[in-house]
Amino acid sequence: MSEVRDKGGALYVVATPIGNLDDISARACRILSSVAYIAAEDTRHTGSLLRYLGIDTPMRAYHDHNEVSQSEKIVADLKNGKEVAVVSDAGTPQISDPGYRLVKLALMEGLIVVPIPGASAIISALSASGVAASRFTFEGFLPAKEQQRQKALVKLCHETRTMVFYEAPHRVSVVVNDMQRILGGDRQLSIARELTKIHEQIFFGSITDAIQALSQGAITAKGEFVLIVEGASESAVLVDADIEKVMQTLINELPASRAADVASKLTGESRKSLYEIAVSLKNSRDK
Ligand code: SAM
């Protein structure tokens, strides 16, 4: 079934389930059945979904490694009037997944791009998080390397919006420990694990509570995770702004570690987080 076209093709950006296959929408099924082909991140993975749905539309691989060449071929097909769907392995394309290049190229060529909404781990996790969700920032995956990850968290210290992170299971504990050191242990944290699947679990508590739950095995470090952290309170941001001013002055006179020692004595804040701030301020100053 064609929904829109009078001339030219259309690119349908189709969300697929993040676990429970019954979360596919009726509209997504209609589109996936009717397009000329489906551009899929992993054709074996999408093949299982299509078999479950009884759909036999042909597929073509479209992933991080062939995005550029495939986007051009798909756009050529769209210009020839074909209708094409793009899907990723799970959830919504473009959200920490391929899709961006193709959508951008299609739009730049004046082609029709139609979103077919459905599951995304961000929204599912937020909806059941217990953390305020009217304003949030999606940070995707934090850097895997310790220093870069901690720097990224230092940059987020003053963020007052709720923050959403995707995370790999083997890093959840270290990330939550970094959060305690850098953001403090009192903020609310929701850990959504294996959403829509058999072992679905939603933890809600403080960052410190989460560390305990992780170390006691109450949250199993297996499967897929979304972490949702409460933003900084406006008053804490004002205090942090003062701390930043103190650090700014100190790093002009002292090495980062000495500046952190002095600032820690002056403010009572943790030396570790002040050291992170000192290094990040020095790096931005020296750029
Ligand atoms: N495009 C997807 C979306 O819309 O959510 C995200 C793809 S990204 C490559 C995969 C990451 O999303 C996982 O590592 C995990 O952080 C998160 N994720 C995906 N499915 C999930 C689920 N069922 N439960 C919890 N997190 C999930």
Side-chain angles (χ1 to χ4, degrees), residues 18 88 90-92 95-97 119-122 141 166-167 192-195 197 224-226:
I18 56 169
S88 60
T92 303
I95 310 300
S96 297
D97 263 344
S120 184
I122 313 168
F141 291 91
Y166 282 171
E167 202 42 83
R193 169 176 171 254
E194 292 286 88
L195 291 170
K197 304 186 207 176
E224 298 193 280
F225 285 83
V226 182

Side-chain angles (χ1 to χ4, degrees), residues 9 24 40 51 68 71 86 88 96 126 129 142 150-151 157 168-169 172 189 213 226-227 251-252 254-255 286:
I24 190 94
R51 269 194 301 284
V68 175
S71 294
V86 60
S88 60
S96 297
L126 273 172
S129 68
L142 282 163
Q150 293 181 349
K151 255 188 219 165
C157 268
V172 169
L189 172 68
V226 182
L227 306 183
I251 58 157
N252 289 335
L254 299 169
D286 299 341

Side-chain angles (χ1 to χ4, degrees), residues 5-44:
R5 314 337 22 140
D6 44 10
K7 69 178 168 73
L11 175 67
Y12 295 94
V13 186
V14 181
T16 56
I18 56 169
N20 188 326
L21 298 186
D22 288 339
D23 287 336
I24 190 94
S25 74
R27 188 174 174 217
C29 289
R30 276 206 312 276
I31 297 292
L32 292 176
S33 308
S34 68
V35 288
Y37 63 88
I38 300 166
E41 183 181 5
D42 179 338
T43 52
R44 275 178 312 176

